[in-house]
Amino acid sequence: YHRPYRSIQRQPATMPKNKRIRRSDPTAASSAPYSLSDKSSSNNNDASSSRNKPEGASNLVAPNTSLGQHFLKNPAVVTAIVAKAGLKSTDTVLEIGPGTGNMTIPLLQQSKNVVAIEYDTRMVREVLKRVEGTSSERKLKVIQGDAIKTRFPFFDVCVANVPYQISSALVFKLLSHRPMFRCAVMMFQEEFALRLTARPGEALYCRLSVNCQLLAKVDQLMKVGRNNFRPPPKVESRVVRIELRNPPPPVNFTEWDGMVS
C-alpha cells in the first residue's frame, strides 16, 4: 500500500513558551514537514482507525483560547458560510486557521484545492487526520505558521474564522495582496466587523473603516451567535464579504494610510 504524497510546508513561528514542542516529543519533527507517517506506532493505530470513519469525522480537541481559538460547531452555520463564498470547482481556496477542519471539509468538496495556514501544531495534525485516506487528501495543503508573517500563495477565495488578535493585521494584508483574489468571506467579532462598514459620523468609524472602504467593497452577510462556538466567546460574531476594487484607486496606499493614521 502506497500512501499518496501530501504536500505540506512548515513556516518558522515563535510559539508561546508554554506551547513549545520539546525535542523529546515523538510528534515533533523540527526540520521536517508534517506527516502522519512520522507518528509513533500508537498514533499510527489511531490514524488507521480514522480511515474507517466517514470523511470529516473528528475527535474533540481542546481549543487554546490564548490563541483566540473558538471552534465553529454548528454545521448549518458552516454550510451557510461556504455557500456565501460562491465557490467554483476550479477555485483554489485559502483558509486561515482551519482548526479541527469543520469548514475545511466542505471547502475541499466544492473547490479544486485548499491551502490552509494554521499556527497551532495540534490543529495541523488534526486537520490532516480528517482527510487521511479520503478522496480529499490530495487536494489539501497545510502550512504551519503565523498567517500574518507567512507569504500567501495564489488563491481565488479566502475563507476564515479569524481570531480577534490578528483581525486588523489580516484585513490590511488582504487589502494589499496581489494578484487580486475574487473575494474573502470572513468571520470576525461583531464590533470589528461593523467597523469595516461604518460610515462617517458613526461611533465605530475609524482608520480601518476609511482604508477598507477605499480599497474594497464590504458586505455584512450574517450574524452568528456566540453559542455556535466551542467554547462560546464573550461576544457575538459577524460574517462579511470583502471584494477588492478592481481597478484599485490611483493612490499610494502607504502615503494615504499615513495621512489617516
Side-chain angles (χ1 to χ4, degrees), residues 5-232:
Y5 173 73
R6 182 185 299 104
S7 177
I8 308 160
Q9 297 178 3
R10 178 183 172 99
Q11 294 287 337
T14 303
M15 300 288 287
K17 289 184 178 181
N18 62 340
K19 293 295 178 183
R20 294 185 186 276
I21 300 176
R22 299 181 179 178
R23 293 185 180 273
S24 59
D25 188 340
T27 64
S30 59
S31 61
Y34 282 92
S35 172
L36 292 172
S37 62
D38 294 334
K39 295 183 178 182
S40 63
S41 58
S42 62
N43 284 347
N44 279 336
N45 291 335
D46 292 340
S48 176
S49 64
S50 73
R51 287 194 292 270
N52 297 325
K53 296 189 292 185
E55 180 174 348
S58 174
N59 296 320
L60 291 180
V61 177
N64 184 343
T65 53
S66 68
L67 297 178
Q69 290 177 351
H70 296 274
F71 300 148
L72 183 58
K73 65 180 184 179
N74 188 334
V77 177
V78 172
T79 299
I81 292 174
V82 174
K84 300 285 187 184
L87 297 178
K88 303 175 182 177
S89 59
T90 56
D91 282 342
T92 293
V93 178
L94 175 66
E95 185 182 14
I96 308 297
T100 59
N102 290 344
M103 192 146 17
T104 311
I105 301 303
L107 290 174
L108 286 165
Q109 292 168 345
Q110 298 188 32
S111 65
K112 180 181 179 181
N113 52 52
V114 173
V115 179
I117 301 178
E118 174 57 61
Y119 183 81
D120 190 339
T121 55
R122 300 175 308 144
M123 300 305 135
V124 172
R125 293 190 288 267
E126 184 68 16
V127 74
L128 289 176
K129 202 190 308 182
R130 293 285 293 268
V131 299
E132 186 188 19
T134 73
S135 59
S136 297
E137 185 173 12
R138 291 182 178 273
K139 298 169 62 177
L140 176 63
K141 177 180 179 181
V142 181
I143 300 173
Q144 192 275 319
D146 185 332
I148 304 305
K149 298 177 181 179
T150 300
R151 182 176 179 178
F152 288 168
F154 169 84
F155 64 95
D156 299 292
V157 177
C158 177
V159 179
N161 174 16
V162 185
Y164 177 76
Q165 295 95 318
I166 67 169
S167 296
S168 184
L170 182 57
V171 168
F172 280 110
K173 183 170 182 175
L174 286 171
L175 291 176
S176 61
H177 179 77
R178 297 297 182 272
M180 287 189 169
F181 51 92
R182 190 165 73 249
C183 72
V185 175
M186 315 183 77
M187 182 150 53
F188 298 108
Q189 288 190 0
E190 184 172 41
E191 181 179 313
F192 183 91
L194 292 174
R195 287 183 183 278
L196 298 177
T197 54
R199 308 304 297 174
E202 296 179 353
L204 293 178
Y205 190 68
C206 60
R207 170 195 172 208
L208 178 68
S209 316
V210 175
N211 284 326
C212 199
Q213 294 169 36
L214 171 71
L215 299 175
K217 177 178 180 290
V218 185
D219 294 311
Q220 300 284 339
L221 299 181
M222 57 188 290
K223 184 173 180 176
V224 182
R226 56 193 299 273
N227 290 329
N228 291 288
F229 300 87
R230 176 174 67 87

